Amino acid sequence: MKKTILLTVLVLNGLTSFAQSNDEKNIKLFYKKALTEAKCYTWLEYLSNDIGSRLSGSPSAAAAVQYTKSQLETLGLDKVYLQEVMVPHWVRGEKETAYILDNKIKTAVPICALGGSVATPKTGITAEVIEVQGLDELKALGDKVKGKIVFFNRPMNPENIGTFDAYSGAGDQRRSGAKEAAKLGAVGTIVRSLNLRLDDFPHAGAQSYGDLPKEQYIPAAAISTNGAELLSKLLKNNPTLKFYFKQSCETLPDVLSYNVIGELTGTVTPENIMVVGGHLDSWDLADGSHDDGAGVVQSMEVVRILKNLNYKPKNTIRVVLFMNEENGGKGGAKYEEVSKQKNENHIFALESDSGGFTPRGFSIEADDANLKKIQGFKDLFEPYFIHSFTKGHSGSDIEHLTSKTIVKAGLQPDSQRYFDYHHAANDKFDAINKRELELGAATMTSLIYLIDQTGIILPTAN
């Protein structure tokens, strides 16, 4: 009996689809395109060097919105549009000054105001310092804190191989230190920068006064790791030394800004939406090239590669450049609010917000079935040294998405150098490696493609 074998292969400008062997060919093509034709490095150079820091509410943040929108429009996507979002507008003011006053000897140390902090009086603050390792130690001191500057000096734990674990472990003192110290009558706080190496760069970041009345707000600043080491050493020899700092930051009325969105409309189930994105805003001390200019341009590169290959996605693929991740999360919240109003169904979201270093894998927020499914792609990624597919946090912007069946993932680059630059004045374009940036974009494109082709596993109805 004659047997007939029917083989259907879709070829689009060199792109083949569906069978696993063809998946291998397509992924190889994604990496080739990223490493030979990518625009992400050029886009990032403009964002960093021509526009610069992009703190929410600033003129440079507005310029970044218009620039990225214009670049997405050149790609021939099905839709490119802006989504309105009101964002906080905190400004740093004049450069901060600080010094240790030890037996009339003044030693200057580098500090920066923490985001959302109030200013010191115009003449600054001078007070004795009390050093603590964390919030519990602070609370145990009680009235001893009154009238003093609280110095939070718990370092990131160097034993953590995952540096984001170390960051999380030390972050509460930055976020809530001023609030808790103010309750005990402190006049200010300084926090050791969240950085694993010793250097002279203070690292910014958001802090919150919570529900404290405004009259109880106290100024909060970060001190460089070298400065923190010096202050701690001098305090051991002279517990009554004093610290002076001056900052002129303020919070202005909220400003209208935008999320930037581009779409490739799905050809089979366009109502199912897949997001790939990063956050467009950055802290104001530098260009924000790693945090998160890299994630922005990598996300743009994903849709550029797919469109360039004339790929027709089954589901709608949407690139979203979120505004205000750093000091409010308003962009992610607004995106979810509008999504709910439109009754949209997101099935997958991928975020890049861990720097532009060599990609190692993904952290995945999913049920066991979908986690196992994504881990099943491991062999396809093995030729590109992508090996880590673990359960974990995906991203701060996409965490707002609450579609019942959504699966989320975060690109995980090698993190060992990330906190050398995170929120600091050295997070500049010259810290970016072109090839590493492009490898990250190719890795993201590959996962988006695989999820688009195979879908997600829906929960079984009881």
Side-chain angles (χ1 to χ4, degrees), residues 266 269-274 314-317 345-348 405 452:
T269 50
E271 69 277 9
N272 290 340
I273 299 169
M274 300 173 60
K314 293 181 177 182
N315 308 289
T316 295
I317 297 175
N345 180 43
H346 288 77
I347 63 169
F348 183 69
T405 58
D452 182 55

Short mmCIF file of all heavy atoms in Angstrom, two decimals, residues 266 269-274 314-317 345-348 405 452:
data_model
loop_
_atom_site.label_atom_id
_atom_site.label_comp_id
_atom_site.label_asym_id
_atom_site.label_seq_id
_atom_site.Cartn_x
_atom_site.Cartn_y
_atom_site.Cartn_z
N GLY A 266 -2.10 39.53 16.36
CA GLY A 266 -2.15 38.09 16.16
C GLY A 266 -3.00 37.70 14.97
O GLY A 266 -3.99 38.35 14.64
N THR A 269 -5.30 34.01 17.20
CA THR A 269 -6.05 34.41 18.39
C THR A 269 -5.59 35.81 18.82
O THR A 269 -4.87 35.96 19.82
CB THR A 269 -5.84 33.41 19.54
OG1 THR A 269 -4.41 33.18 19.70
CG2 THR A 269 -6.54 32.10 19.26
N PRO A 270 -5.97 36.84 18.06
CA PRO A 270 -5.49 38.20 18.36
C PRO A 270 -5.95 38.72 19.71
O PRO A 270 -5.37 39.66 20.25
CB PRO A 270 -6.06 39.04 17.22
CG PRO A 270 -7.24 38.26 16.73
CD PRO A 270 -6.87 36.83 16.90
N GLU A 271 -7.00 38.11 20.26
CA GLU A 271 -7.50 38.54 21.56
C GLU A 271 -6.57 38.13 22.69
O GLU A 271 -6.68 38.65 23.82
CB GLU A 271 -8.91 38.00 21.80
CG GLU A 271 -9.00 36.49 22.01
CD GLU A 271 -9.02 35.68 20.71
OE1 GLU A 271 -8.80 36.25 19.62
OE2 GLU A 271 -9.26 34.46 20.80
N ASN A 272 -5.68 37.19 22.43
CA ASN A 272 -4.68 36.78 23.42
C ASN A 272 -3.44 37.64 23.26
O ASN A 272 -2.87 37.71 22.17
CB ASN A 272 -4.31 35.30 23.24
CG ASN A 272 -5.45 34.37 23.63
OD1 ASN A 272 -6.36 34.77 24.37
ND2 ASN A 272 -5.42 33.15 23.14
N ILE A 273 -3.02 38.28 24.34
CA ILE A 273 -1.94 39.27 24.28
C ILE A 273 -0.71 38.77 25.01
O ILE A 273 -0.79 38.24 26.12
CB ILE A 273 -2.41 40.61 24.88
CG1 ILE A 273 -3.60 41.16 24.09
CG2 ILE A 273 -1.26 41.63 24.89
CD1 ILE A 273 -4.29 42.33 24.75
N MET A 274 0.43 38.96 24.36
CA MET A 274 1.73 38.68 24.95
C MET A 274 2.50 39.99 25.05
O MET A 274 2.63 40.71 24.06
CB MET A 274 2.50 37.67 24.09
CG MET A 274 1.79 36.34 23.92
SD MET A 274 2.64 35.25 22.73
CE MET A 274 4.24 35.07 23.52
N LYS A 314 0.74 34.15 16.12
CA LYS A 314 -0.60 33.63 16.39
C LYS A 314 -1.36 34.58 17.32
O LYS A 314 -2.54 34.87 17.12
CB LYS A 314 -0.51 32.24 17.03
CG LYS A 314 0.05 31.15 16.14
CD LYS A 314 0.06 29.83 16.90
CE LYS A 314 0.54 28.68 16.03
NZ LYS A 314 0.51 27.39 16.74
N ASN A 315 -0.66 35.03 18.36
CA ASN A 315 -1.24 35.92 19.36
C ASN A 315 -0.72 37.33 19.14
O ASN A 315 0.31 37.53 18.50
CB ASN A 315 -0.85 35.44 20.76
CG ASN A 315 -1.16 33.98 20.99
OD1 ASN A 315 -2.31 33.59 21.11
ND2 ASN A 315 -0.11 33.15 21.02
N THR A 316 -1.42 38.30 19.68
CA THR A 316 -0.94 39.68 19.60
C THR A 316 0.29 39.86 20.48
O THR A 316 0.25 39.52 21.67
CB THR A 316 -2.05 40.66 20.02
OG1 THR A 316 -3.12 40.59 19.07
CG2 THR A 316 -1.52 42.09 20.08
N ILE A 317 1.37 40.34 19.89
CA ILE A 317 2.60 40.62 20.65
C ILE A 317 2.69 42.12 20.83
O ILE A 317 2.67 42.89 19.86
CB ILE A 317 3.83 40.07 19.91
CG1 ILE A 317 3.74 38.55 19.81
CG2 ILE A 317 5.11 40.48 20.65
CD1 ILE A 317 4.87 37.91 19.00
N ASN A 345 -7.18 39.96 27.56
CA ASN A 345 -6.69 38.69 28.10
C ASN A 345 -5.20 38.54 27.79
O ASN A 345 -4.81 38.27 26.67
CB ASN A 345 -7.45 37.51 27.49
CG ASN A 345 -6.95 36.18 28.04
OD1 ASN A 345 -6.72 36.04 29.24
ND2 ASN A 345 -6.78 35.21 27.17
N HIS A 346 -4.37 38.74 28.81
CA HIS A 346 -2.93 38.54 28.65
C HIS A 346 -2.58 37.10 29.01
O HIS A 346 -2.94 36.61 30.08
CB HIS A 346 -2.17 39.49 29.57
CG HIS A 346 -2.21 40.91 29.12
ND1 HIS A 346 -3.32 41.72 29.31
CD2 HIS A 346 -1.28 41.68 28.49
CE1 HIS A 346 -3.07 42.92 28.81
NE2 HIS A 346 -1.84 42.92 28.32
N ILE A 347 -1.89 36.43 28.11
CA ILE A 347 -1.49 35.05 28.38
C ILE A 347 -0.03 34.93 28.80
O ILE A 347 0.36 33.95 29.44
CB ILE A 347 -1.77 34.14 27.18
CG1 ILE A 347 -0.95 34.56 25.95
CG2 ILE A 347 -3.27 34.10 26.86
CD1 ILE A 347 -0.96 33.55 24.81
N PHE A 348 0.79 35.94 28.43
CA PHE A 348 2.22 35.86 28.73
C PHE A 348 2.80 37.27 28.80
O PHE A 348 2.39 38.16 28.08
CB PHE A 348 2.95 35.06 27.65
CG PHE A 348 4.43 34.87 27.93
CD1 PHE A 348 4.84 34.05 28.97
CD2 PHE A 348 5.39 35.50 27.16
CE1 PHE A 348 6.20 33.87 29.25
CE2 PHE A 348 6.74 35.32 27.42
CZ PHE A 348 7.14 34.51 28.47
N THR A 405 -5.06 33.54 33.58
CA THR A 405 -4.23 32.47 33.02
C THR A 405 -2.83 32.93 32.64
O THR A 405 -2.11 32.21 31.96
CB THR A 405 -4.92 31.88 31.78
OG1 THR A 405 -5.14 32.93 30.83
CG2 THR A 405 -6.26 31.25 32.15
N ASP A 452 4.51 31.89 21.76
CA ASP A 452 3.52 32.20 20.74
C ASP A 452 3.14 30.96 19.93
O ASP A 452 1.98 30.74 19.61
CB ASP A 452 4.06 33.28 19.80
CG ASP A 452 3.04 33.69 18.74
OD1 ASP A 452 1.91 34.07 19.11
OD2 ASP A 452 3.37 33.60 17.54
#
